[in-house]
Amino acid sequence: MRVLVTGGCGFIGSHVVRALLAEGHTVTNLDALTYAANPANLATVASHAHYRFVHGDICDVPLVRDLVAEADTVLNFAAETHVDRSLLDPGVFVRTDVEGVVTLLEAVRTTRDVMLVHMSTDEVFGSLPAGMEAAEEAPFAPTSPYSASKAAAELQIRAYAETYHLPVTVMRSCNVYGPNQHIEKFIPLFITRALAGAPLPLYGDGLQEREWIYVDDLVAAVRVVLAGLPRAPGVHAIHIGTGERLPNRAVAETICRLAGGNESLIQRVGDRPGHDRRYALDSGRLRARGWTPAVAIKEGLALTVRWYAENAAAWEPAQGAEFREYFQRQYGERLGAG
Ligand SMILES: NC(=O)c1ccc[n+]([C@@H]2O[C@H](COP(=O)([O-])OP(=O)(O)OC[C@H]3O[C@@H](n4cnc5c(N)ncnc54)[C@H](O)[C@@H]3O)[C@@H](O)[C@H]2O)c1
């Protein structure tokens, strides 16, 4: 395949780029290098003969048109991805997560013969009651500016698929964790702070339930999806979930134990406004294609804690002024009041 990966310098994208190159595919990585990017994630493949990096924006119409024309498959991971930041600065989420997807759709529509595969999230369904799982056809009910942007992108995809008879595959994943995730996200934030013996700011009662997938299992799922992309016009949605659902507090406690810290590091702080209580995906469609997760959450968390403990050089640069300013804005008052 000749794959255009967008957002390849981020967390998930970088794992997928490495896997695609290892399988012999040709990869162009288009990434705007926002604060969330870490080009070091791809240091081991930077000079690979079948890899090319393009520094650019998925909203750049001529650039995207040219790059899409060279590809047979477009894999869109470029996005603003942090719910907390979407409360602080929603505009950039609409721009990248919605306008960026429309830019890709326009390029795919005019090029034809290019398969678009878009990464979405379980958050488009909003909070689900206990016992319920969202199937692929479940109605959207997003509650944050982030999830609303992701849902809006999906509506644009649906409109293009309908209007122009495009085949588009949409993967919706549960929460992903593992090496190389930006340190402001829940699991890396708590790991890096637990390793430093710093307080862990847990929102509200910590009983918000999330479904977790280790990044290697996510990559395996993406490979299964790519191996059988439907070519019939329409939106082909597929859920990537493990069924491993845990309250945030339980994840925080496990991290404390694994990082050699004390659970007293966990500090309950004021909740995030509109914080969804529970996400859960029905991933039967993917499992019917032979995929099952290989890494249970306890094992995955142990691998992840070990990686952050042993690879400080990979993530410490992300602790610069921009991160400190964000952390202060997001948690400064909360920790002070906690
Ligand atoms: N991480 C998760 O738990 C999770 C769960 C479900 C879905 N997703 C989705 O998976 C995708 C990847 O998530 P991630 O966690 O790897 O994200 P990330 O924040 O780690 O990386 C995003 C990447 O996109 C790039 N980017 C941002 N704006 C861009 C633009 N305008 N043009 C080009 N590049 C741009 C950034 O520089 C960065 O390299 C996103 O679509 C996200 O919504 C993530």
Side-chain angles (χ1 to χ4, degrees), residues 58-82:
I58 59 163
C59 300
D60 181 334
V61 172
L63 175 66
V64 167
R65 195 180 48 220
D66 289 350
L67 294 178
V68 167
E70 295 170 8
D72 53 47
T73 309
V74 178
L75 205 37
N76 182 34
F77 294 112
E80 289 294 332
T81 62
H82 196 170

mmCIF file with all atom_site columns, all heavy atoms in Angstrom, residues 58-82:
data_model
loop_
_atom_site.group_PDB
_atom_site.id
_atom_site.type_symbol
_atom_site.label_atom_id
_atom_site.label_alt_id
_atom_site.label_comp_id
_atom_site.label_asym_id
_atom_site.label_entity_id
_atom_site.label_seq_id
_atom_site.pdbx_PDB_ins_code
_atom_site.Cartn_x
_atom_site.Cartn_y
_atom_site.Cartn_z
_atom_site.occupancy
_atom_site.B_iso_or_equiv
_atom_site.pdbx_formal_charge
_atom_site.auth_seq_id
_atom_site.auth_comp_id
_atom_site.auth_asym_id
_atom_site.auth_atom_id
_atom_site.pdbx_PDB_model_num
ATOM 1   N N   . ILE A 1 58 ? -3.425 19.394 7.883  1.00 0.00 ? 58 ILE A N   1
ATOM 2   C CA  . ILE A 1 58 ? -4.473 18.697 7.115  1.00 0.00 ? 58 ILE A CA  1
ATOM 3   C C   . ILE A 1 58 ? -5.548 19.670 6.617  1.00 0.00 ? 58 ILE A C   1
ATOM 4   O O   . ILE A 1 58 ? -6.408 19.277 5.841  1.00 0.00 ? 58 ILE A O   1
ATOM 5   C CB  . ILE A 1 58 ? -5.137 17.525 7.888  1.00 0.00 ? 58 ILE A CB  1
ATOM 6   C CG1 . ILE A 1 58 ? -5.782 17.974 9.190  1.00 0.00 ? 58 ILE A CG1 1
ATOM 7   C CG2 . ILE A 1 58 ? -4.175 16.384 8.103  1.00 0.00 ? 58 ILE A CG2 1
ATOM 8   C CD1 . ILE A 1 58 ? -6.774 16.963 9.740  1.00 0.00 ? 58 ILE A CD1 1
ATOM 9   N N   . CYS A 1 59 ? -5.495 20.921 7.043  1.00 0.00 ? 59 CYS A N   1
ATOM 10  C CA  . CYS A 1 59 ? -6.431 21.923 6.500  1.00 0.00 ? 59 CYS A CA  1
ATOM 11  C C   . CYS A 1 59 ? -5.852 22.635 5.270  1.00 0.00 ? 59 CYS A C   1
ATOM 12  O O   . CYS A 1 59 ? -6.515 23.516 4.703  1.00 0.00 ? 59 CYS A O   1
ATOM 13  C CB  . CYS A 1 59 ? -6.781 22.957 7.568  1.00 0.00 ? 59 CYS A CB  1
ATOM 14  S SG  . CYS A 1 59 ? -7.569 22.261 9.018  1.00 0.00 ? 59 CYS A SG  1
ATOM 15  N N   . ASP A 1 60 ? -4.627 22.295 4.874  1.00 0.00 ? 60 ASP A N   1
ATOM 16  C CA  . ASP A 1 60 ? -3.968 22.944 3.729  1.00 0.00 ? 60 ASP A CA  1
ATOM 17  C C   . ASP A 1 60 ? -4.455 22.252 2.449  1.00 0.00 ? 60 ASP A C   1
ATOM 18  O O   . ASP A 1 60 ? -3.971 21.179 2.074  1.00 0.00 ? 60 ASP A O   1
ATOM 19  C CB  . ASP A 1 60 ? -2.439 22.817 3.904  1.00 0.00 ? 60 ASP A CB  1
ATOM 20  C CG  . ASP A 1 60 ? -1.660 23.485 2.781  1.00 0.00 ? 60 ASP A CG  1
ATOM 21  O OD1 . ASP A 1 60 ? -2.193 23.604 1.657  1.00 0.00 ? 60 ASP A OD1 1
ATOM 22  O OD2 . ASP A 1 60 ? -0.504 23.863 3.043  1.00 0.00 ? 60 ASP A OD2 1
ATOM 23  N N   . VAL A 1 61 ? -5.405 22.896 1.761  1.00 0.00 ? 61 VAL A N   1
ATOM 24  C CA  . VAL A 1 61 ? -6.121 22.249 0.648  1.00 0.00 ? 61 VAL A CA  1
ATOM 25  C C   . VAL A 1 61 ? -5.176 21.762 -0.461 1.00 0.00 ? 61 VAL A C   1
ATOM 26  O O   . VAL A 1 61 ? -5.203 20.577 -0.825 1.00 0.00 ? 61 VAL A O   1
ATOM 27  C CB  . VAL A 1 61 ? -7.229 23.181 0.106  1.00 0.00 ? 61 VAL A CB  1
ATOM 28  C CG1 . VAL A 1 61 ? -7.859 22.616 -1.158 1.00 0.00 ? 61 VAL A CG1 1
ATOM 29  C CG2 . VAL A 1 61 ? -8.288 23.417 1.188  1.00 0.00 ? 61 VAL A CG2 1
ATOM 30  N N   . PRO A 1 62 ? -4.320 22.648 -1.047 1.00 0.00 ? 62 PRO A N   1
ATOM 31  C CA  . PRO A 1 62 ? -3.478 22.136 -2.139 1.00 0.00 ? 62 PRO A CA  1
ATOM 32  C C   . PRO A 1 62 ? -2.505 21.050 -1.701 1.00 0.00 ? 62 PRO A C   1
ATOM 33  O O   . PRO A 1 62 ? -2.283 20.074 -2.425 1.00 0.00 ? 62 PRO A O   1
ATOM 34  C CB  . PRO A 1 62 ? -2.720 23.380 -2.630 1.00 0.00 ? 62 PRO A CB  1
ATOM 35  C CG  . PRO A 1 62 ? -3.210 24.536 -1.855 1.00 0.00 ? 62 PRO A CG  1
ATOM 36  C CD  . PRO A 1 62 ? -4.176 24.089 -0.815 1.00 0.00 ? 62 PRO A CD  1
ATOM 37  N N   . LEU A 1 63 ? -1.937 21.211 -0.510 1.00 0.00 ? 63 LEU A N   1
ATOM 38  C CA  . LEU A 1 63 ? -0.986 20.200 -0.014 1.00 0.00 ? 63 LEU A CA  1
ATOM 39  C C   . LEU A 1 63 ? -1.679 18.857 0.152  1.00 0.00 ? 63 LEU A C   1
ATOM 40  O O   . LEU A 1 63 ? -1.182 17.813 -0.295 1.00 0.00 ? 63 LEU A O   1
ATOM 41  C CB  . LEU A 1 63 ? -0.377 20.664 1.327  1.00 0.00 ? 63 LEU A CB  1
ATOM 42  C CG  . LEU A 1 63 ? 0.538  19.646 2.017  1.00 0.00 ? 63 LEU A CG  1
ATOM 43  C CD1 . LEU A 1 63 ? 1.794  19.393 1.191  1.00 0.00 ? 63 LEU A CD1 1
ATOM 44  C CD2 . LEU A 1 63 ? 0.932  20.134 3.424  1.00 0.00 ? 63 LEU A CD2 1
ATOM 45  N N   . VAL A 1 64 ? -2.841 18.874 0.788  1.00 0.00 ? 64 VAL A N   1
ATOM 46  C CA  . VAL A 1 64 ? -3.572 17.624 1.023  1.00 0.00 ? 64 VAL A CA  1
ATOM 47  C C   . VAL A 1 64 ? -3.985 16.989 -0.308 1.00 0.00 ? 64 VAL A C   1
ATOM 48  O O   . VAL A 1 64 ? -3.863 15.779 -0.506 1.00 0.00 ? 64 VAL A O   1
ATOM 49  C CB  . VAL A 1 64 ? -4.792 17.876 1.946  1.00 0.00 ? 64 VAL A CB  1
ATOM 50  C CG1 . VAL A 1 64 ? -5.746 16.698 1.956  1.00 0.00 ? 64 VAL A CG1 1
ATOM 51  C CG2 . VAL A 1 64 ? -4.316 18.191 3.363  1.00 0.00 ? 64 VAL A CG2 1
ATOM 52  N N   . ARG A 1 65 ? -4.422 17.826 -1.244 1.00 0.00 ? 65 ARG A N   1
ATOM 53  C CA  . ARG A 1 65 ? -4.823 17.283 -2.563 1.00 0.00 ? 65 ARG A CA  1
ATOM 54  C C   . ARG A 1 65 ? -3.645 16.571 -3.223 1.00 0.00 ? 65 ARG A C   1
ATOM 55  O O   . ARG A 1 65 ? -3.777 15.451 -3.718 1.00 0.00 ? 65 ARG A O   1
ATOM 56  C CB  . ARG A 1 65 ? -5.322 18.438 -3.435 1.00 0.00 ? 65 ARG A CB  1
ATOM 57  C CG  . ARG A 1 65 ? -6.088 17.994 -4.666 1.00 0.00 ? 65 ARG A CG  1
ATOM 58  C CD  . ARG A 1 65 ? -6.547 19.188 -5.475 1.00 0.00 ? 65 ARG A CD  1
ATOM 59  N NE  . ARG A 1 65 ? -5.441 20.127 -5.675 1.00 0.00 ? 65 ARG A NE  1
ATOM 60  C CZ  . ARG A 1 65 ? -5.563 21.462 -5.624 1.00 0.00 ? 65 ARG A CZ  1
ATOM 61  N NH1 . ARG A 1 65 ? -6.716 22.016 -5.397 1.00 0.00 ? 65 ARG A NH1 1
ATOM 62  N NH2 . ARG A 1 65 ? -4.517 22.239 -5.811 1.00 0.00 ? 65 ARG A NH2 1
ATOM 63  N N   . ASP A 1 66 ? -2.461 17.189 -3.188 1.00 0.00 ? 66 ASP A N   1
ATOM 64  C CA  . ASP A 1 66 ? -1.284 16.573 -3.825 1.00 0.00 ? 66 ASP A CA  1
ATOM 65  C C   . ASP A 1 66 ? -0.898 15.269 -3.135 1.00 0.00 ? 66 ASP A C   1
ATOM 66  O O   . ASP A 1 66 ? -0.587 14.279 -3.787 1.00 0.00 ? 66 ASP A O   1
ATOM 67  C CB  . ASP A 1 66 ? -0.083 17.540 -3.783 1.00 0.00 ? 66 ASP A CB  1
ATOM 68  C CG  . ASP A 1 66 ? -0.280 18.710 -4.730 1.00 0.00 ? 66 ASP A CG  1
ATOM 69  O OD1 . ASP A 1 66 ? -1.244 18.665 -5.533 1.00 0.00 ? 66 ASP A OD1 1
ATOM 70  O OD2 . ASP A 1 66 ? 0.507  19.673 -4.647 1.00 0.00 ? 66 ASP A OD2 1
ATOM 71  N N   . LEU A 1 67 ? -0.923 15.267 -1.807 1.00 0.00 ? 67 LEU A N   1
ATOM 72  C CA  . LEU A 1 67 ? -0.492 14.069 -1.086 1.00 0.00 ? 67 LEU A CA  1
ATOM 73  C C   . LEU A 1 67 ? -1.511 12.937 -1.232 1.00 0.00 ? 67 LEU A C   1
ATOM 74  O O   . LEU A 1 67 ? -1.136 11.774 -1.375 1.00 0.00 ? 67 LEU A O   1
ATOM 75  C CB  . LEU A 1 67 ? -0.254 14.388 0.402  1.00 0.00 ? 67 LEU A CB  1
ATOM 76  C CG  . LEU A 1 67 ? 0.911  15.347 0.687  1.00 0.00 ? 67 LEU A CG  1
ATOM 77  C CD1 . LEU A 1 67 ? 1.008  15.619 2.187  1.00 0.00 ? 67 LEU A CD1 1
ATOM 78  C CD2 . LEU A 1 67 ? 2.231  14.777 0.172  1.00 0.00 ? 67 LEU A CD2 1
ATOM 79  N N   . VAL A 1 68 ? -2.780 13.276 -1.226 1.00 0.00 ? 68 VAL A N   1
ATOM 80  C CA  . VAL A 1 68 ? -3.818 12.244 -1.399 1.00 0.00 ? 68 VAL A CA  1
ATOM 81  C C   . VAL A 1 68 ? -3.696 11.620 -2.794 1.00 0.00 ? 68 VAL A C   1
ATOM 82  O O   . VAL A 1 68 ? -3.847 10.404 -2.966 1.00 0.00 ? 68 VAL A O   1
ATOM 83  C CB  . VAL A 1 68 ? -5.227 12.833 -1.155 1.00 0.00 ? 68 VAL A CB  1
ATOM 84  C CG1 . VAL A 1 68 ? -6.316 11.882 -1.645 1.00 0.00 ? 68 VAL A CG1 1
ATOM 85  C CG2 . VAL A 1 68 ? -5.418 13.139 0.325  1.00 0.00 ? 68 VAL A CG2 1
ATOM 86  N N   . ALA A 1 69 ? -3.360 12.449 -3.794 1.00 0.00 ? 69 ALA A N   1
ATOM 87  C CA  . ALA A 1 69 ? -3.245 11.935 -5.171 1.00 0.00 ? 69 ALA A CA  1
ATOM 88  C C   . ALA A 1 69 ? -2.132 10.894 -5.300 1.00 0.00 ? 69 ALA A C   1
ATOM 89  O O   . ALA A 1 69 ? -2.175 10.043 -6.182 1.00 0.00 ? 69 ALA A O   1
ATOM 90  C CB  . ALA A 1 69 ? -3.001 13.098 -6.131 1.00 0.00 ? 69 ALA A CB  1
ATOM 91  N N   . GLU A 1 70 ? -1.140 10.945 -4.409 1.00 0.00 ? 70 GLU A N   1
ATOM 92  C CA  . GLU A 1 70 ? -0.021 9.990  -4.483 1.00 0.00 ? 70 GLU A CA  1
ATOM 93  C C   . GLU A 1 70 ? -0.327 8.688  -3.759 1.00 0.00 ? 70 GLU A C   1
ATOM 94  O O   . GLU A 1 70 ? 0.441  7.729  -3.855 1.00 0.00 ? 70 GLU A O   1
ATOM 95  C CB  . GLU A 1 70 ? 1.228  10.597 -3.822 1.00 0.00 ? 70 GLU A CB  1
ATOM 96  C CG  . GLU A 1 70 ? 1.788  11.819 -4.512 1.00 0.00 ? 70 GLU A CG  1
ATOM 97  C CD  . GLU A 1 70 ? 2.856  12.488 -3.654 1.00 0.00 ? 70 GLU A CD  1
ATOM 98  O OE1 . GLU A 1 70 ? 3.250  11.919 -2.608 1.00 0.00 ? 70 GLU A OE1 1
ATOM 99  O OE2 . GLU A 1 70 ? 3.289  13.588 -4.031 1.00 0.00 ? 70 GLU A OE2 1
ATOM 100 N N   . ALA A 1 71 ? -1.410 8.660  -2.970 1.00 0.00 ? 71 ALA A N   1
ATOM 101 C CA  . ALA A 1 71 ? -1.647 7.520  -2.070 1.00 0.00 ? 71 ALA A CA  1
ATOM 102 C C   . ALA A 1 71 ? -2.742 6.607  -2.614 1.00 0.00 ? 71 ALA A C   1
ATOM 103 O O   . ALA A 1 71 ? -3.542 7.003  -3.465 1.00 0.00 ? 71 ALA A O   1
ATOM 104 C CB  . ALA A 1 71 ? -2.049 8.040  -0.689 1.00 0.00 ? 71 ALA A CB  1
ATOM 105 N N   . ASP A 1 72 ? -2.787 5.364  -2.109 1.00 0.00 ? 72 ASP A N   1
ATOM 106 C CA  . ASP A 1 72 ? -3.975 4.543  -2.362 1.00 0.00 ? 72 ASP A CA  1
ATOM 107 C C   . ASP A 1 72 ? -4.832 4.427  -1.103 1.00 0.00 ? 72 ASP A C   1
ATOM 108 O O   . ASP A 1 72 ? -5.988 4.029  -1.160 1.00 0.00 ? 72 ASP A O   1
ATOM 109 C CB  . ASP A 1 72 ? -3.616 3.164  -2.932 1.00 0.00 ? 72 ASP A CB  1
ATOM 110 C CG  . ASP A 1 72 ? -2.594 2.407  -2.105 1.00 0.00 ? 72 ASP A CG  1
ATOM 111 O OD1 . ASP A 1 72 ? -2.753 2.343  -0.875 1.00 0.00 ? 72 ASP A OD1 1
ATOM 112 O OD2 . ASP A 1 72 ? -1.632 1.871  -2.698 1.00 0.00 ? 72 ASP A OD2 1
ATOM 113 N N   . THR A 1 73 ? -4.241 4.779  0.056  1.00 0.00 ? 73 THR A N   1
ATOM 114 C CA  . THR A 1 73 ? -4.976 4.701  1.318  1.00 0.00 ? 73 THR A CA  1
ATOM 115 C C   . THR A 1 73 ? -4.603 5.912  2.171  1.00 0.00 ? 73 THR A C   1
ATOM 116 O O   . THR A 1 73 ? -3.426 6.263  2.260  1.00 0.00 ? 73 THR A O   1
ATOM 117 C CB  . THR A 1 73 ? -4.590 3.417  2.089  1.00 0.00 ? 73 THR A CB  1
ATOM 118 O OG1 . THR A 1 73 ? -4.710 2.297  1.202  1.00 0.00 ? 73 THR A OG1 1
ATOM 119 C CG2 . THR A 1 73 ? -5.471 3.204  3.308  1.00 0.00 ? 73 THR A CG2 1
ATOM 120 N N   . VAL A 1 74 ? -5.605 6.530  2.780  1.00 0.00 ? 74 VAL A N   1
ATOM 121 C CA  . VAL A 1 74 ? -5.359 7.661  3.691  1.00 0.00 ? 74 VAL A CA  1
ATOM 122 C C   . VAL A 1 74 ? -5.837 7.249  5.071  1.00 0.00 ? 74 VAL A C   1
ATOM 123 O O   . VAL A 1 74 ? -6.982 6.818  5.247  1.00 0.00 ? 74 VAL A O   1
ATOM 124 C CB  . VAL A 1 74 ? -6.124 8.921  3.237  1.00 0.00 ? 74 VAL A CB  1
ATOM 125 C CG1 . VAL A 1 74 ? -5.901 10.062 4.228  1.00 0.00 ? 74 VAL A CG1 1
ATOM 126 C CG2 . VAL A 1 74 ? -5.688 9.329  1.844  1.00 0.00 ? 74 VAL A CG2 1
ATOM 127 N N   . LEU A 1 75 ? -4.947 7.382  6.032  1.00 0.00 ? 75 LEU A N   1
ATOM 128 C CA  . LEU A 1 75 ? -5.250 6.959  7.398  1.00 0.00 ? 75 LEU A CA  1
ATOM 129 C C   . LEU A 1 75 ? -5.174 8.208  8.278  1.00 0.00 ? 75 LEU A C   1
ATOM 130 O O   . LEU A 1 75 ? -4.084 8.733  8.523  1.00 0.00 ? 75 LEU A O   1
ATOM 131 C CB  . LEU A 1 75 ? -4.177 5.945  7.795  1.00 0.00 ? 75 LEU A CB  1
ATOM 132 C CG  . LEU A 1 75 ? -4.380 4.879  8.842  1.00 0.00 ? 75 LEU A CG  1
ATOM 133 C CD1 . LEU A 1 75 ? -5.770 4.304  8.830  1.00 0.00 ? 75 LEU A CD1 1
ATOM 134 C CD2 . LEU A 1 75 ? -3.345 3.784  8.633  1.00 0.00 ? 75 LEU A CD2 1
ATOM 135 N N   . ASN A 1 76 ? -6.324 8.687  8.730  1.00 0.00 ? 76 ASN A N   1
ATOM 136 C CA  . ASN A 1 76 ? -6.342 9.990  9.409  1.00 0.00 ? 76 ASN A CA  1
ATOM 137 C C   . ASN A 1 76 ? -6.302 9.870  10.931 1.00 0.00 ? 76 ASN A C   1
ATOM 138 O O   . ASN A 1 76 ? -7.311 9.563  11.577 1.00 0.00 ? 76 ASN A O   1
ATOM 139 C CB  . ASN A 1 76 ? -7.589 10.777 9.002  1.00 0.00 ? 76 ASN A CB  1
ATOM 140 C CG  . ASN A 1 76 ? -7.610 12.149 9.666  1.00 0.00 ? 76 ASN A CG  1
ATOM 141 O OD1 . ASN A 1 76 ? -6.553 12.759 9.869  1.00 0.00 ? 76 ASN A OD1 1
ATOM 142 N ND2 . ASN A 1 76 ? -8.786 12.631 10.018 1.00 0.00 ? 76 ASN A ND2 1
ATOM 143 N N   . PHE A 1 77 ? -5.127 10.176 11.478 1.00 0.00 ? 77 PHE A N   1
ATOM 144 C CA  . PHE A 1 77 ? -4.964 10.249 12.940 1.00 0.00 ? 77 PHE A CA  1
ATOM 145 C C   . PHE A 1 77 ? -4.732 11.684 13.403 1.00 0.00 ? 77 PHE A C   1
ATOM 146 O O   . PHE A 1 77 ? -4.623 11.915 14.611 1.00 0.00 ? 77 PHE A O   1
ATOM 147 C CB  . PHE A 1 77 ? -3.774 9.391  13.397 1.00 0.00 ? 77 PHE A CB  1
ATOM 148 C CG  . PHE A 1 77 ? -3.958 7.918  13.181 1.00 0.00 ? 77 PHE A CG  1
ATOM 149 C CD1 . PHE A 1 77 ? -3.188 7.241  12.259 1.00 0.00 ? 77 PHE A CD1 1
ATOM 150 C CD2 . PHE A 1 77 ? -4.915 7.212  13.900 1.00 0.00 ? 77 PHE A CD2 1
ATOM 151 C CE1 . PHE A 1 77 ? -3.361 5.873  12.049 1.00 0.00 ? 77 PHE A CE1 1
ATOM 152 C CE2 . PHE A 1 77 ? -5.094 5.854  13.698 1.00 0.00 ? 77 PHE A CE2 1
ATOM 153 C CZ  . PHE A 1 77 ? -4.316 5.184  12.772 1.00 0.00 ? 77 PHE A CZ  1
ATOM 154 N N   . ALA A 1 78 ? -4.585 12.616 12.476 1.00 0.00 ? 78 ALA A N   1
ATOM 155 C CA  . ALA A 1 78 ? -4.317 14.000 12.874 1.00 0.00 ? 78 ALA A CA  1
ATOM 156 C C   . ALA A 1 78 ? -5.548 14.568 13.564 1.00 0.00 ? 78 ALA A C   1
ATOM 157 O O   . ALA A 1 78 ? -6.656 14.488 13.041 1.00 0.00 ? 78 ALA A O   1
ATOM 158 C CB  . ALA A 1 78 ? -3.974 14.840 11.650 1.00 0.00 ? 78 ALA A CB  1
ATOM 159 N N   . ALA A 1 79 ? -5.353 15.110 14.739 1.00 0.00 ? 79 ALA A N   1
ATOM 160 C CA  . ALA A 1 79 ? -6.486 15.694 15.468 1.00 0.00 ? 79 ALA A CA  1
ATOM 161 C C   . ALA A 1 79 ? -5.966 16.434 16.686 1.00 0.00 ? 79 ALA A C   1
ATOM 162 O O   . ALA A 1 79 ? -4.843 16.212 17.142 1.00 0.00 ? 79 ALA A O   1
ATOM 163 C CB  . ALA A 1 79 ? -7.453 14.591 15.916 1.00 0.00 ? 79 ALA A CB  1
ATOM 164 N N   . GLU A 1 80 ? -6.808 17.327 17.170 1.00 0.00 ? 80 GLU A N   1
ATOM 165 C CA  . GLU A 1 80 ? -6.661 17.790 18.551 1.00 0.00 ? 80 GLU A CA  1
ATOM 166 C C   . GLU A 1 80 ? -7.398 16.756 19.375 1.00 0.00 ? 80 GLU A C   1
ATOM 167 O O   . GLU A 1 80 ? -8.548 16.410 19.065 1.00 0.00 ? 80 GLU A O   1
ATOM 168 C CB  . GLU A 1 80 ? -7.276 19.174 18.723 1.00 0.00 ? 80 GLU A CB  1
ATOM 169 C CG  . GLU A 1 80 ? -6.489 20.287 18.060 1.00 0.00 ? 80 GLU A CG  1
ATOM 170 C CD  . GLU A 1 80 ? -5.122 20.514 18.689 1.00 0.00 ? 80 GLU A CD  1
ATOM 171 O OE1 . GLU A 1 80 ? -4.962 20.223 19.895 1.00 0.00 ? 80 GLU A OE1 1
ATOM 172 O OE2 . GLU A 1 80 ? -4.215 20.964 17.975 1.00 0.00 ? 80 GLU A OE2 1
ATOM 173 N N   . THR A 1 81 ? -6.764 16.250 20.438 1.00 0.00 ? 81 THR A N   1
ATOM 174 C CA  . THR A 1 81 ? -7.283 15.031 21.046 1.00 0.00 ? 81 THR A CA  1
ATOM 175 C C   . THR A 1 81 ? -7.580 15.110 22.543 1.00 0.00 ? 81 THR A C   1
ATOM 176 O O   . THR A 1 81 ? -8.064 14.132 23.109 1.00 0.00 ? 81 THR A O   1
ATOM 177 C CB  . THR A 1 81 ? -6.277 13.873 20.832 1.00 0.00 ? 81 THR A CB  1
ATOM 178 O OG1 . THR A 1 81 ? -5.048 14.207 21.476 1.00 0.00 ? 81 THR A OG1 1
ATOM 179 C CG2 . THR A 1 81 ? -6.042 13.605 19.365 1.00 0.00 ? 81 THR A CG2 1
ATOM 180 N N   . HIS A 1 82 ? -7.273 16.238 23.165 1.00 0.00 ? 82 HIS A N   1
ATOM 181 C CA  . HIS A 1 82 ? -7.395 16.237 24.628 1.00 0.00 ? 82 HIS A CA  1
ATOM 182 C C   . HIS A 1 82 ? -8.666 16.961 25.082 1.00 0.00 ? 82 HIS A C   1
ATOM 183 O O   . HIS A 1 82 ? -8.797 18.181 24.897 1.00 0.00 ? 82 HIS A O   1
ATOM 184 C CB  . HIS A 1 82 ? -6.160 16.880 25.258 1.00 0.00 ? 82 HIS A CB  1
ATOM 185 C CG  . HIS A 1 82 ? -6.053 16.563 26.720 1.00 0.00 ? 82 HIS A CG  1
ATOM 186 N ND1 . HIS A 1 82 ? -4.932 16.847 27.459 1.00 0.00 ? 82 HIS A ND1 1
ATOM 187 C CD2 . HIS A 1 82 ? -6.916 15.981 27.582 1.00 0.00 ? 82 HIS A CD2 1
ATOM 188 C CE1 . HIS A 1 82 ? -5.132 16.460 28.714 1.00 0.00 ? 82 HIS A CE1 1
ATOM 189 N NE2 . HIS A 1 82 ? -6.324 15.946 28.797 1.00 0.00 ? 82 HIS A NE2 1
#
